[in-house]
Amino acid sequence: MCKFSVFGLVCEHLQKKKKKKNTPSCKKQPKLLSTHPACSKQEKDPEFWRSQARSSLQSALDRQPNTNVAKNIVFFLGDGMGITTYTAARILKGQLQNQTGEETVMTMDTFPYVGLAKTYSVDFTIPDSAATATAYLCGVKTNMNIVGVSAAGRNTVCNTQSGNEVTSILKWAKDAGKSVGIVTTTRVQHATPAAAYAHSVSRSWYSDADLPDSAKTDGCTDIASQLIKNIDIDVIIGGGRKYMTPKGTQDPEYPWDYSSRGQRTDGRDLIKEWQSSKMVANYVWDKTNFDAVDPETTDYLMALFEPGDLQFEEDREPSMEPSIVETTEKAIRILRKNPNGFFLLVEGGRIDQAHHDGRAYMALHETVAFDYAIEKALELTDEKETLTVVMADHSHPLTFNGFPFRGQSILGKSPLWATDLLPFTTLMYGNGPGHKIVNGKRPDIRNVTTDAKDYVQLSAAPLQSTTHSGEDVAVLARGPMAHLLQGVFEQNYVAHAMGYAACVGADLRHCQTPPASQPTTTDTNGAGTAGVSATLLGSLVSVMLTFTLLVYSV
């Protein structure tokens, strides 16, 4: 008889059927133990958990809001880094360090203030990265596929763009005298970075070759050309070389690859135009020259390491392409020289692209690399003067399921088998390219290595590319005015909160001088206002006594 366990379904199913050769029997199924061997000895002691909770409680009680004006803002955007991705990446990070994983503390986990942002766009319940980027960077929600334009703009309709442009916090910071930068693992013309500097009713208008003739006639311009025109950006790091050069221009890294060659039909070389517009401007496309850039003597840097998006972290050739940790560090070291401070956008953009491919392995490794970049940024900045924000733009239909044992590979298979007597992975997708139903049956993955980087997780519905999902996303913050990013709020609120904290944009109340009627000093005895009040009261009493004596003496 099968005892109660999460394998009960399998056991009951097997008891009702004739046993076949090679079919797992109830006796061979492992049981879920109340204490798995992966648990440490201390975790069995209740005092371990009580002590941990007391420490967390005291930390919360001791927390005091930092009300300084933020000199700097470092804004980390994990594209597609929903809550499930965040949790699974935490476990993977620990397992890569030979831990069970669940108890691992990510750098993101140390941020004291956490909120939830509603991600819907004006026209869709589930948004894309263009609409969300316009929300959290420009402070205005808009329609899908649109960057830097309000919802009055219509997707790909150029004549609805003019007059409906909205500016971003990157521009607000630049106008306030700060240095600004963009770091991304995608092309620098992609949706997230584009919303920081461009205005386009189509996120896909990367170069002029992508614009329809009607859009050109109506005066719309491509995103790449706006990169070097709209805002004087100090640091630009990512991919996207082919959108910057004339059609047919050989790529310096892949000269034999026609798909990597320049795409511009207007004959412009935007890289050369950008260089010529600056007194001292460094352009690099490989790791060697990137490493040679001295942040102390560099004011402007454009680094484009690929014709399109950068390589996935697990595919990256370290001698040719820097990591997101390295690019983040270089950007901060250049930007922080400005005495007025800086704003830096860092995007882990390929988390999203891995999810679209149904490759959880790649998505989680991208997220782990993203977390290391956050750690590096915290090392290079001072929390007293730097507001650091981490968030996702949207989520993906990634599920975390199946009662895996503590410490079991996050990319492995659930110990619970389904009623079709086949195993399934702990991570799966609601839709995407992993739909593998053949003749009404799922594939048997007992002998499949599911923690390989090219493995595509099973999905419930067949699509060539996994969609986004619509749940709220986490917003984590630390530094000046980070407490503003608590609770549940609309995604566009994030830009306004950051702008207020740094006194950039329209709302400058935070940096206004306090009213003179509010005393801010104390006397040498620490009496302060109370001492002043006592002195005034004593004087008043003396006056009243004198007046009384005069009255009686008359």
Side-chain angles (χ1 to χ4, degrees), residues 378-406:
L378 295 181
E379 291 175 4
L380 296 169
T381 56
D382 182 353
E383 188 172 344
K384 293 179 181 178
E385 63 179 18
T386 302
L387 171 63
T388 305
V389 178
V390 180
M391 68 176 291
D393 50 354
H394 56 74
S395 187
H396 279 269
L398 179 70
T399 62
F400 185 4
N401 67 121
F403 296 109
F405 289 120
R406 175 76 180 276

Side-chain angles (χ1 to χ4, degrees), residues 307-341:
D309 302 320
L310 302 191
Q311 299 292 326
F312 283 115
E313 177 62 23
E314 288 296 289
D315 290 338
R316 180 177 62 85
E317 174 53 58
S319 65
M320 287 298 297
E321 196 170 291
S323 68
I324 188 173
V325 175
E326 294 171 294
T327 54
T328 299
E329 178 175 6
K330 185 80 75 174
I332 291 175
R333 289 190 182 278
I334 292 172
L335 297 173
R336 71 181 182 181
K337 300 195 305 293
N338 187 335
N340 294 323

Side-chain angles (χ1 to χ4, degrees), residues 111-433:
F111 282 49
Y113 299 102
V114 183
L116 289 174
K118 303 176 186 179
T119 64
Y120 67 91
S121 63
V122 172
D123 55 348
F124 282 87
T125 304
I126 297 177
D128 74 330
S129 294
T132 53
T134 303
Y136 60 72
L137 288 175
C138 302
V140 174
K141 287 210 171 193
T142 190
N143 298 323
M144 185 179 286
N145 203 50
I146 290 176
V147 291
V149 179
S150 74
R154 293 167 53 198
N155 183 14
T156 71
V157 181
C158 177
N159 62 15
T160 66
Q161 178 175 308
S162 181
N164 294 317
E165 297 90 347
V166 291
T167 58
S168 77
I169 188 171
L170 183 137
K171 177 169 172 52
W172 308 344
K174 190 67 180 184
D175 289 346
K178 298 182 185 295
S179 294
V180 297
I182 293 170
V183 171
T184 180
T185 55
T186 68
R187 68 204 79 172
V188 295
Q189 305 86 0
H190 212 249
T192 298
Y197 62 83
H199 311 286
S200 178
V201 287
S202 175
R203 59 176 287 182
S204 301
W205 290 349
Y206 300 125
S207 78
D208 68 315
D210 300 313
L211 269 73
D213 291 338
S214 60
K216 294 178 182 178
T217 300
D218 288 341
C220 284
T221 57
D222 62 279
I223 294 170
S225 66
Q226 295 185 56
L227 172 64
I228 68 168
K229 177 185 177 182
N230 290 358
I231 304 172
D232 185 23
I233 304 175
D234 302 271
V235 175
I236 302 167
I237 302 176
R241 290 191 296 252
K242 64 183 179 181
Y243 305 111
M244 307 289 284
T245 56
K247 186 174 182 178
T249 302
Q250 286 188 336
D251 186 80
E253 188 174 1
Y254 313 105
W256 61 89
D257 183 9
Y258 281 87
S259 64
S260 298
R261 294 186 175 183
Q263 295 192 358
R264 302 197 64 82
T265 59
D266 58 8
R268 296 175 64 187
D269 186 326
L270 300 182
I271 296 172
K272 290 182 178 178
E273 288 184 25
W274 178 81
Q275 287 179 296
S276 64
S277 68
K278 315 294 181 188
M279 290 294 292
V280 180
N282 290 320
Y283 168 73
V284 299
W285 61 267
D286 64 348
K287 178 74 157 48
T288 300
N289 287 297
F290 177 76
D291 290 343
V293 173
D294 182 358
E296 298 305 316
T297 59
T298 300
D299 294 327
Y300 289 97
L301 172 65
M302 179 185 287
L304 304 179
F305 298 108
E306 291 288 337
D309 302 320
L310 302 191
Q311 299 292 326
F312 283 115
E313 177 62 23
E314 288 296 289
D315 290 338
R316 180 177 62 85
E317 174 53 58
S319 65
M320 287 298 297
E321 196 170 291
S323 68
I324 188 173
V325 175
E326 294 171 294
T327 54
T328 299
E329 178 175 6
K330 185 80 75 174
I332 291 175
R333 289 190 182 278
I334 292 172
L335 297 173
R336 71 181 182 181
K337 300 195 305 293
N338 187 335
N340 294 323
F342 66 86
F343 173 87
L344 175 63
L345 165 64
V346 181
E347 183 199 20
R350 301 223 68 189
I351 301 170
D352 168 81
Q353 293 175 349
H355 277 317
H356 280 302
D357 293 340
R359 300 167 69 188
Y361 177 105
M362 287 300 201
L364 299 192
H365 278 81
E366 290 292 310
T367 307
V368 171
F370 183 67
D371 192 61
Y372 279 121
I374 297 168
E375 179 182 4
K376 177 57 67 175
L378 295 181
E379 291 175 4
L380 296 169
T381 56
D382 182 353
E383 188 172 344
K384 293 179 181 178
E385 63 179 18
T386 302
L387 171 63
T388 305
V389 178
V390 180
M391 68 176 291
D393 50 354
H394 56 74
S395 187
H396 279 269
L398 179 70
T399 62
F400 185 4
N401 67 121
F403 296 109
F405 289 120
R406 175 76 180 276
Q408 184 176 327
S409 171
I410 188 64
L411 295 165
K413 302 159 195 167
S414 169
L416 172 65
W417 287 22
T419 54
D420 60 1
L421 304 183
L422 292 173
F424 56 90
T425 53
T426 300
L427 298 176
M428 303 168 68
Y429 288 93
N431 60 60

Side-chain angles (χ1 to χ4, degrees), residues 525-537:
N525 294 319
T529 305
V532 174
S533 298
T535 301
L536 291 173
L537 181 60

Side-chain angles (χ1 to χ4, degrees), residues 487-529:
V488 181
F489 41 78
E490 297 288 355
Q491 195 170 43
N492 65 295
Y493 166 75
V494 175
H496 296 275
M498 292 192 296
Y500 179 89
C503 280
V504 298
D507 192 343
L508 304 179
R509 287 177 294 166
H510 186 43
C511 56
Q512 291 174 348
T513 305
S517 60
Q518 297 179 359
T520 57
T521 61
T522 60
D523 62 16
T524 55
N525 294 319
T529 305

